Coordinates of all heavy atoms in Angstrom, one line a residue:
L11 N -4.2 -1.3 20.7 CA -3.6 -1.3 19.4 C -4.1 -2.5 18.5 O -3.8 -2.5 17.3 CB -2.1 -1.5 19.6 CG -1.3 -0.3 20.2 CD1 0.2 -0.7 20.4 CD2 -1.5 0.9 19.3
D12 N -4.9 -3.4 19.1 CA -5.5 -4.4 18.3 C -6.5 -3.8 17.3 O -6.9 -4.5 16.3 CB -6.1 -5.5 19.1 CG -5.1 -6.3 19.9 OD1 -4.0 -6.4 19.5 OD2 -5.5 -6.9 21.0
D13 N -7.0 -2.6 17.6 CA -8.0 -2.0 16.7 C -7.3 -1.3 15.5 O -8.0 -0.9 14.6 CB -8.8 -0.9 17.5 CG -9.6 -1.6 18.6 OD1 -10.0 -2.7 18.4 OD2 -9.9 -0.9 19.6
A14 N -6.0 -1.2 15.5 CA -5.3 -0.6 14.4 C -5.2 -1.5 13.2 O -5.2 -2.7 13.4 CB -3.8 -0.2 14.9
V15 N -5.2 -0.9 12.0 CA -5.1 -1.7 10.8 C -3.7 -2.3 10.7 O -2.6 -1.6 11.0 CB -5.3 -0.8 9.6 CG1 -5.0 -1.6 8.3 CG2 -6.8 -0.3 9.6
K16 N -3.6 -3.5 10.4 CA -2.3 -4.2 10.2 C -2.0 -4.3 8.7 O -2.9 -4.6 7.9 CB -2.4 -5.7 10.7 CG -2.9 -5.8 12.2 CD -1.9 -5.1 13.1 CE -2.3 -5.4 14.6 NZ -3.7 -5.0 15.0
F17 N -0.8 -4.0 8.3 CA -0.4 -3.9 6.9 C 0.7 -5.0 6.6 O 1.6 -5.2 7.5 CB 0.2 -2.5 6.6 CG -0.8 -1.4 6.7 CD1 -0.9 -0.6 7.8 CD2 -1.7 -1.2 5.6 CE1 -1.8 0.4 7.9 CE2 -2.6 -0.2 5.7 CZ -2.7 0.6 6.8
D18 N 0.7 -5.5 5.4 CA 1.8 -6.3 4.9 C 2.4 -5.4 3.8 O 1.7 -4.8 3.0 CB 1.3 -7.6 4.2 CG 0.8 -8.6 5.3 OD1 1.0 -8.4 6.5 OD2 0.1 -9.5 4.8
M19 N 3.8 -5.3 3.9 CA 4.5 -4.4 2.9 C 5.2 -5.3 1.9 O 6.1 -6.1 2.2 CB 5.5 -3.5 3.7 CG 6.2 -2.5 2.8 SD 7.4 -1.5 3.7 CE 6.4 -0.8 5.0
G20 N 4.9 -5.1 0.6 CA 5.5 -5.8 -0.4 C 6.5 -5.0 -1.2 O 6.3 -3.8 -1.5
A21 N 7.7 -5.5 -1.4 CA 8.8 -4.8 -2.0 C 8.9 -5.1 -3.5 O 8.8 -6.2 -3.9 CB 10.2 -5.1 -1.3
Y22 N 9.2 -4.1 -4.3 CA 9.3 -4.2 -5.7 C 10.7 -3.6 -6.2 O 11.3 -2.9 -5.4 CB 8.2 -3.5 -6.5 CG 6.9 -4.2 -6.4 CD1 6.1 -4.2 -5.2 CD2 6.4 -4.9 -7.5 CE1 4.9 -4.9 -5.1 CE2 5.2 -5.6 -7.4 CZ 4.4 -5.6 -6.2 OH 3.3 -6.3 -6.2
R23 N 11.0 -3.9 -7.4 CA 12.3 -3.3 -7.9 C 12.1 -2.9 -9.4 O 11.3 -3.5 -10.1 CB 13.5 -4.2 -7.8 CG 13.3 -5.5 -8.6 CD 14.5 -6.4 -8.3 NE 14.3 -7.7 -9.0 CZ 15.1 -8.8 -8.8 NH1 16.2 -8.7 -8.1 NH2 14.9 -9.9 -9.5
S24 N 12.9 -1.9 -9.8 CA 12.8 -1.5 -11.2 C 14.2 -1.0 -11.6 O 14.9 -0.3 -10.8 CB 11.8 -0.4 -11.4 OG 11.9 0.2 -12.7
A25 N 14.6 -1.3 -12.8 CA 15.9 -0.9 -13.3 C 16.0 0.6 -13.4 O 17.0 1.3 -13.2 CB 16.2 -1.5 -14.7
A26 N 14.8 1.3 -13.6 CA 14.8 2.7 -13.8 C 14.8 3.4 -12.4 O 15.1 4.6 -12.4 CB 13.5 3.1 -14.5
E27 N 14.5 2.7 -11.3 CA 14.5 3.3 -10.0 C 15.3 2.5 -9.0 O 14.9 2.1 -8.0 CB 13.0 3.4 -9.5 CG 12.1 4.2 -10.4 CD 12.4 5.7 -10.3 OE1 13.2 6.1 -9.4 OE2 11.8 6.5 -11.0
D28 N 16.6 2.2 -9.4 CA 17.4 1.3 -8.6 C 17.8 1.9 -7.3 O 18.3 1.2 -6.4 CB 18.6 0.8 -9.4 CG 19.4 2.0 -9.9 OD1 19.0 3.1 -9.7 OD2 20.5 1.7 -10.5
S29 N 17.7 3.2 -7.1 CA 18.1 3.8 -5.9 C 17.0 4.0 -4.9 O 17.1 4.5 -3.8 CB 18.8 5.2 -6.1 OG 17.8 6.1 -6.7
K30 N 15.8 3.6 -5.3 CA 14.6 3.7 -4.4 C 13.9 2.4 -4.2 O 14.2 1.4 -4.9 CB 13.6 4.7 -5.1 CG 14.1 6.1 -5.3 CD 13.1 7.0 -6.0 CE 13.7 8.4 -6.3 NZ 12.7 9.3 -6.9
L31 N 13.1 2.3 -3.2 CA 12.4 1.1 -2.8 C 10.9 1.3 -3.0 O 10.3 1.8 -2.1 CB 12.8 0.6 -1.4 CG 12.1 -0.7 -1.0 CD1 12.5 -1.8 -1.9 CD2 12.5 -1.0 0.5
P32 N 10.3 0.8 -4.1 CA 8.9 0.9 -4.2 C 8.2 -0.2 -3.4 O 8.7 -1.4 -3.4 CB 8.7 0.7 -5.7 CG 10.0 0.7 -6.4 CD 11.0 0.3 -5.3
V33 N 7.1 0.1 -2.7 CA 6.4 -0.9 -1.9 C 4.9 -0.7 -2.1 O 4.4 0.3 -2.5 CB 6.8 -0.8 -0.4 CG1 8.3 -1.0 -0.2 CG2 6.3 0.6 0.2
T34 N 4.2 -1.8 -1.8 CA 2.8 -1.7 -1.7 C 2.4 -1.9 -0.2 O 3.1 -2.6 0.6 CB 2.1 -2.8 -2.5 OG1 2.6 -4.1 -2.1 CG2 2.3 -2.6 -4.0
L35 N 1.3 -1.4 0.2 CA 0.7 -1.5 1.5 C -0.6 -2.2 1.4 O -1.6 -1.6 0.9 CB 0.6 -0.2 2.2 CG 2.0 0.5 2.6 CD1 1.7 1.9 3.1 CD2 2.7 -0.3 3.7
R36 N -0.7 -3.4 1.8 CA -1.9 -4.2 1.8 C -2.4 -4.5 3.2 O -1.6 -4.8 4.1 CB -1.7 -5.5 1.0 CG -2.9 -6.4 0.9 CD -2.6 -7.7 0.1 NE -1.5 -8.5 0.7 CZ -1.7 -9.4 1.6 NH1 -2.9 -9.6 2.1 NH2 -0.6 -10.1 2.1
I37 N -3.7 -4.3 3.4 CA -4.2 -4.7 4.7 C -4.1 -6.2 4.9 O -4.5 -7.0 4.0 CB -5.7 -4.2 4.8 CG1 -5.8 -2.7 4.8 CG2 -6.3 -4.7 6.2 CD1 -7.2 -2.1 4.9
S38 N -3.5 -6.6 6.0 CA -3.2 -8.0 6.2 C -4.5 -8.9 6.1 O -5.5 -8.4 6.6 CB -2.5 -8.2 7.6 OG -1.3 -7.4 7.6
K39 N -4.3 -10.0 5.5 CA -5.4 -11.0 5.4 C -6.6 -10.5 4.6 O -7.7 -11.0 4.7 CB -5.8 -11.5 6.8 CG -4.7 -12.1 7.6 CD -5.2 -12.6 9.0 CE -4.1 -13.2 9.8 NZ -4.6 -13.6 11.2
T40 N -6.3 -9.5 3.7 CA -7.3 -9.0 2.8 C -6.7 -8.9 1.4 O -5.5 -9.1 1.2 CB -7.9 -7.7 3.2 OG1 -7.0 -6.7 3.0 CG2 -8.3 -7.7 4.7
R41 N -7.5 -8.4 0.5 CA -7.1 -8.1 -0.9 C -7.1 -6.6 -1.1 O -7.0 -6.2 -2.3 CB -7.9 -8.8 -1.9 CG -8.0 -10.3 -1.8 CD -9.0 -10.9 -2.8 NE -9.0 -12.4 -2.7 CZ -9.8 -13.2 -3.4 NH1 -10.7 -12.6 -4.2 NH2 -9.8 -14.5 -3.3
L42 N -7.1 -5.8 -0.1 CA -7.2 -4.4 -0.2 C -5.8 -3.7 -0.1 O -5.1 -3.8 0.9 CB -8.1 -3.8 1.0 CG -9.5 -4.4 1.0 CD1 -10.3 -3.9 2.2 CD2 -10.2 -4.0 -0.3
F43 N -5.5 -3.0 -1.1 CA -4.2 -2.2 -1.2 C -4.5 -0.7 -1.1 O -5.5 -0.2 -1.7 CB -3.5 -2.5 -2.6 CG -3.0 -3.9 -2.7 CD1 -3.8 -5.0 -2.9 CD2 -1.6 -4.1 -2.6 CE1 -3.3 -6.3 -3.1 CE2 -1.1 -5.4 -2.7 CZ -1.9 -6.5 -2.9
L44 N -3.6 0.0 -0.5 CA -3.7 1.4 -0.4 C -3.4 2.0 -1.8 O -2.5 1.6 -2.5 CB -2.7 2.0 0.5 CG -3.2 2.2 2.0 CD1 -3.5 0.8 2.6 CD2 -2.2 3.0 2.8
S45 N -4.3 2.9 -2.3 CA -4.2 3.5 -3.6 C -4.1 5.0 -3.5 O -5.1 5.6 -3.0 CB -5.4 3.0 -4.5 OG -5.3 3.6 -5.8
A46 N -3.1 5.6 -4.1 CA -2.9 7.1 -4.0 C -3.9 7.8 -4.9 O -4.2 7.3 -6.0 CB -1.4 7.4 -4.4
Q47 N -4.3 8.9 -4.5 CA -5.2 9.8 -5.2 C -4.6 11.2 -5.4 O -3.4 11.3 -5.2 CB -6.6 9.9 -4.5 CG -7.2 8.5 -4.3 CD -7.5 7.7 -5.5 OE1 -8.1 8.2 -6.5 NE2 -6.9 6.5 -5.5
N48 N -5.4 12.1 -5.8 CA -4.8 13.5 -6.0 C -4.6 14.2 -4.6 O -5.0 13.6 -3.6 CB -5.8 14.3 -6.8 CG -5.9 13.8 -8.2 OD1 -4.9 13.3 -8.8 ND2 -7.1 13.9 -8.8
E49 N -4.0 15.3 -4.7 CA -3.7 16.0 -3.4 C -4.9 16.3 -2.6 O -6.0 16.8 -3.2 CB -2.9 17.3 -3.8 CG -2.4 18.1 -2.5 CD -1.6 19.3 -2.9 OE1 -1.5 19.6 -4.1 OE2 -1.0 19.9 -2.0
E50 N -4.9 16.1 -1.3 CA -6.0 16.3 -0.4 C -7.1 15.3 -0.5 O -8.0 15.2 0.3 CB -6.5 17.7 -0.5 CG -5.5 18.8 -0.1 CD -5.0 18.7 1.3 OE1 -5.7 18.2 2.2 OE2 -3.9 19.1 1.5
D51 N -7.0 14.4 -1.5 CA -8.1 13.4 -1.6 C -7.7 12.2 -0.7 O -6.6 11.8 -0.5 CB -8.2 12.9 -3.1 CG -8.9 13.9 -4.0 OD1 -9.5 14.8 -3.4 OD2 -8.8 13.7 -5.2
P52 N -8.8 11.5 -0.2 CA -8.5 10.4 0.7 C -7.8 9.2 -0.1 O -8.1 9.0 -1.2 CB -9.9 10.0 1.2 CG -10.8 11.2 1.0 CD -10.2 11.9 -0.2
V53 N -7.0 8.5 0.6 CA -6.4 7.3 0.1 C -7.5 6.3 0.0 O -8.2 6.1 0.9 CB -5.2 6.8 1.0 CG1 -4.7 5.4 0.5 CG2 -4.1 7.8 1.0
L54 N -7.6 5.6 -1.2 CA -8.6 4.6 -1.4 C -8.0 3.2 -1.1 O -6.8 3.0 -1.1 CB -9.1 4.6 -2.9 CG -9.9 5.9 -3.3 CD1 -10.3 5.7 -4.8 CD2 -11.1 6.1 -2.4
L55 N -9.0 2.3 -0.8 CA -8.6 0.9 -0.6 C -9.1 0.2 -1.9 O -10.2 0.1 -2.2 CB -9.4 0.3 0.6 CG -9.0 0.9 1.9 CD1 -9.8 0.3 3.0 CD2 -7.5 0.8 2.2
K56 N -8.1 -0.3 -2.7 CA -8.3 -0.9 -4.0 C -8.2 -2.4 -3.8 O -7.2 -3.0 -3.4 CB -7.3 -0.4 -5.0 CG -7.5 -0.9 -6.4 CD -6.5 -0.3 -7.3 CE -6.8 -0.7 -8.8 NZ -5.8 0.0 -9.7
E57 N -9.3 -3.1 -4.2 CA -9.3 -4.6 -4.1 C -8.6 -5.2 -5.3 O -9.0 -4.9 -6.5 CB -10.7 -5.1 -4.0 CG -10.7 -6.6 -3.7 CD -12.1 -7.1 -3.4 OE1 -13.1 -6.3 -3.4 OE2 -12.3 -8.3 -3.1

C-alpha cells in the first residue's frame, strides 16, 4: 500500500451549495490537484 497515491483532501464552502461539501484532492507533499475532464477522459493532474 506504500505504492498507492496519498491524497490530502481540502474542504470548501459556498452559500449557493450549503447542503454539499466541495473538496479538492491533492497528491500529498506535491502541488498536483486532480482535475475533472469530459466524460471518459482521464483525470488530469493540475499543478
Side-chain angles (χ1 to χ4, degrees):
L11 291 180
D12 291 338
D13 295 333
V15 173
K16 308 295 191 300
F17 295 98
D18 293 345
M19 187 184 299
Y22 286 74
R23 63 183 174 187
S24 170
E27 301 287 354
D28 56 355
S29 62
K30 301 178 181 179
L31 180 58
V33 299
T34 56
L35 292 169
R36 178 176 60 86
I37 297 180
S38 302
K39 300 179 181 180
T40 74
R41 299 174 179 177
L42 299 176
F43 290 77
L44 270 65
S45 176
Q47 304 302 306
N48 295 324
E49 186 173 6
E50 297 299 331
D51 287 346
V53 172
L54 292 181
L55 297 177
K56 184 175 182 179
E57 185 171 2

